[in-house]
Amino acid sequence: MEITKDMLIGEIIRKKPEAIETLMRFGMGCVGCPSSQMESLEEAAMVHGLNLDALMTELNK
């Protein structure tokens, strides 16, 4: 499954649970937060000041 920037964090976690480790490594400690059910990967990266391209590369390995 390819992860895209418009996918919700909650959706990513449900479909690819191993992504939690990568998200945490990048500083997204809010994987269990209610916002994760409504926030896209792109939005979360912006809020956390993360490089979206680098995050997507790691998530899609």
Side-chain angles (χ1 to χ4, degrees):
M1 172 191 111
E2 182 180 358
I3 293 175
T4 62
K5 67 181 181 180
D6 61 322
M7 291 177 76
L8 301 179
I9 300 294
E11 176 185 10
I12 293 168
I13 292 168
R14 280 191 302 279
K15 292 185 177 181
K16 190 175 181 181
E18 62 273 21
I20 292 172
E21 183 180 327
T22 302
L23 293 168
M24 297 290 282
R25 198 166 11 99
F26 270 77
M28 283 192 187
C30 59
V31 293
C33 164
S35 314
S36 69
Q37 301 305 311
M38 301 173 291
E39 195 169 53
S40 71
L41 183 60
E42 182 176 34
E43 292 167 334
M46 188 177 4
V47 166
H48 290 279
L50 302 174
N51 180 318
L52 178 60
D53 294 328
L55 177 57
M56 286 182 55
T57 297
E58 287 298 312
L59 288 169
N60 281 307
K61 280 187 176 179

